[in-house]
Amino acid sequence: MRAGVHWEFCEAMSDRDPGLATNFAARRQEMARDAQRRMVELVAAKTTDSAPGPLPLHKGVYTDETRFAAEREHLFLGQPMVAGLSGDIPNPGDVLVFDAAGPSLLVMRGKDGQVRAFRNMCTHRGAKLIEEGEPFSTHLPRLVCPFHAWSFDPAGKLVGQPSKESFAGCDIGARNLLEVPCAEHLGLIFVRAGGGDPIDAAAHLGELAPVLEALELHRAEPVKKGILTAESNWKFALDTYSEGYHFAALHATTIGITHYNDIARVDRFGRHHRVGFPDKSYGALPDLPESEWPQVDYGGVHYLFPNTVIFFGSIEPGKFFTQLFRLFPDGVGKTRCHFAVYAPFGVESDEQKAMCEMAYDGTATVVQTEDYRVAANGYANLLTAPDDYHVVLGANENAVQAVHRHIAEAIGMPLD
Ligand code: FES
Ligand SMILES: [Fe+2]
């Protein structure tokens, strides 16, 4: 089924579906041209966007259990986490499991088109309503508990209770599912897994919102999903997404051939950022007037604080794909990355679907066998490193520095 069908259930369609009012393809072209100008400057000057100086990080930033407990509490349970895209549950009755942040949660689209999130926990004796783990999703107009068959509708309401009279007179004898904050905005579904305040997704995205809006994530249709793992702290794995300083050495047979090493355009949007890496075709452009530059496709790494990366790109001109990486800890020294590739504007043909599958397979292999390999090896070293050992992020690892500073600020623990 095509993503975006649920918009039919919304009365104010133009409010919910920004694509009806705006030509996003034109906006992406403008963004691509702006990025191109900046990257031509960087390539001409053989430099990269940089921080004022290097940043040493004590090994404990990655290995310390107390710090990790604070991250779990303030980030994974406390911050809005991306549970998926709208197209993962396009229709009323669709449900996905989101268990990577901690508690097992169900994210469901109700008959009214609204997305809500609940503990995947029966209100009778706590059984899991859906026993599969992430990235499981399905269509279930009614959730039936596998233990004693209490049932719930997609809005979390208890709608069936065998031997109901046995629970009469008890104030918790007939509860609806326990709800946690959830918001759907610009095609992203956010959940605050630990409960607490409602999510203001627009405020959370801030200045990044117009950029993400142009990606039309509300139209994205999932093609392939899987899990990548690293025997490392989640931040060590995350650090690999936001710098191009490692392309030539670590990715010598892939992006190291096609792209410049250590040239990155970095745009910061509060705690979020965007990074672009020029490919080697940029080498010819500084000598040409802008009127002779080719029109390039928009693309780049979009980092959503604290753990999500959206890569929008094209395999060949005009053949786009959207990649979603969500990194979660399974303990201080284990990372689980939920990786998914989407057809950005819905699956249009078998050929395009195959291309998106290629974008999954090729990237999964590189990330798993190269980026996460060095993350695991480096992390193992940190565990036995001298007590005062620090890693150091160069000024050229500008965006990575920002990630660490913002995480430290959010958990209330300084970096040094
Ligand atoms: S635990 Fe769900 S019906 Fe009993
Ligand atoms: Fe990499």
Side-chain angles (χ1 to χ4, degrees):
M1 184 90 57
R2 277 292 311 273
V5 174
H6 61 274
W7 302 122
E8 289 167 16
F9 295 85
C10 181
E11 289 200 1
M13 281 183 72
S14 57
D15 291 347
R16 293 285 300 274
D17 186 346
L20 294 177
T22 313
N23 182 348
F24 286 110
R27 204 199 284 180
R28 283 193 299 275
Q29 284 204 345
E30 279 169 33
M31 294 190 334
R33 181 45 68 107
D34 285 346
Q36 191 181 32
R37 284 191 194 106
R38 179 82 188 110
M39 291 204 282
V40 169
E41 284 171 18
L42 292 171
V43 168
K46 296 190 175 58
T47 188
T48 186
D49 282 340
S50 297
L55 176 69
L57 292 180
H58 184 259
K59 68 171 187 171
V61 166
Y62 299 99
T63 60
D64 182 61
E65 290 278 359
T66 306
R67 192 169 198 100
F68 173 63
E71 290 170 355
R72 203 194 279 286
E73 180 188 346
H74 296 294
L75 303 181
F76 295 97
L77 296 175
Q79 285 283 322
M81 291 281 123
V82 175
L85 300 188
S86 297
D88 291 317
I89 45 170
N91 299 305
D94 288 349
V95 53
L96 66 81
V97 176
F98 171 47
D99 59 14
S104 182
L105 303 170
L106 299 178
V107 183
M108 302 198 271
R109 190 175 298 281
K111 285 197 191 97
D112 55 359
Q114 196 182 325
V115 177
R116 300 174 181 85
F118 304 94
R119 295 291 291 247
N120 181 13
M121 184 166 71
C122 183
T123 49
H124 174 215
R125 281 167 54 191
K128 268 192 183 170
L129 298 162
I130 293 183
E131 294 174 332
E132 286 87 349
E134 202 171 346
F136 181 80
S137 65
T138 188
H139 178 77
L140 278 178
R142 184 183 264 231
L143 287 163
V144 182
C145 180
F147 202 175
H148 313 90
W150 284 24
S151 58
F152 302 87
D153 74 9
K157 190 172 180 306
L158 179 68
V159 290
Q161 191 181 25
S163 304
K164 190 175 174 168
E165 60 285 357
S166 295
F167 299 88
C170 174
D171 63 351
I172 61 161
R175 282 175 296 169
N176 296 329
L177 293 181
L178 276 55
E179 193 162 358
V180 296
C182 178
E184 183 178 32
H185 186 56
L186 303 179
L188 290 156
I189 298 171
F190 293 100
V191 171
R192 198 188 306 278
D197 292 338
I199 295 171
D200 182 342
H204 176 64
L205 293 175
E207 297 300 307
L208 183 63
V211 176
L212 289 182
E213 185 182 40
L215 305 186
E216 300 187 84
L217 297 174
H218 62 288
R219 293 174 64 192
E221 184 173 3
V223 172
K224 188 162 180 178
K225 296 181 185 184
I227 300 175
L228 311 175
T229 58
E231 296 290 312
S232 94
N233 180 261
W234 69 279
K235 299 187 300 300
F236 212 124
L238 180 67
D239 290 347
T240 63
Y241 290 83
S242 293
E243 47 91 357
Y245 180 37
H246 70 284
F247 288 174
L250 185 62
H251 303 312
T253 60
T254 52
I255 197 169
I257 295 174
T258 54
H259 285 66
Y260 280 99
N261 193 63
D262 204 18
I263 297 185
R265 170 186 54 82
V266 178
D267 302 303
R268 302 260 300 274
F269 307 88
R271 288 175 171 171
H272 318 292
H273 65 239
R274 175 178 59 180
V275 186
F277 302 108
D279 66 46
K280 291 190 179 163
S281 72
Y282 276 79
L285 303 192
D287 299 328
L288 296 175
E290 187 177 318
S291 58
E292 291 177 30
W293 295 354
Q295 172 68 52
V296 291
D297 284 336
Y298 179 71
V301 167
H302 305 75
Y303 164 74
L304 271 67
F305 182 83
N307 71 328
T308 298
V309 171
I310 298 171
F311 181 78
F312 185 86
S314 52
I315 282 192
E316 53 186 67
K319 309 279 187 189
F320 294 97
F321 60 88
T322 302
Q323 295 180 323
L324 177 67
F325 302 86
R326 296 176 302 126
L327 280 74
F328 296 91
D330 275 334
V332 65
K334 276 189 193 299
T335 301
R336 170 165 39 143
C337 171
H338 285 275
F339 177 37
V341 172
Y342 297 78
F345 318 115
V347 173
E348 288 151 7
S349 66
D350 288 347
E351 183 207 3
Q352 183 218 11
K353 193 171 178 206
M355 214 170 263
C356 289
E357 284 167 351
M358 249 168 63
Y360 181 97
D361 295 338
T363 305
T365 301
V366 170
V367 169
Q368 186 71 72
T369 64
E370 297 180 358
D371 295 290
Y372 287 7
R373 185 194 84 223
V374 293
N377 289 338
Y379 183 73
N381 272 340
L382 293 187
L383 292 176
T384 55
D387 288 347
D388 62 350
Y389 183 77
H390 288 67
V391 300
V392 58
L393 299 171
N396 55 348
E397 295 166 290
N398 169 15
V400 185
Q401 288 193 17
V403 169
H404 284 277
R405 290 187 198 282
H406 290 138
I407 289 174
E409 176 187 275
I411 65 173
M413 292 177 78
L415 280 175
D416 36 28

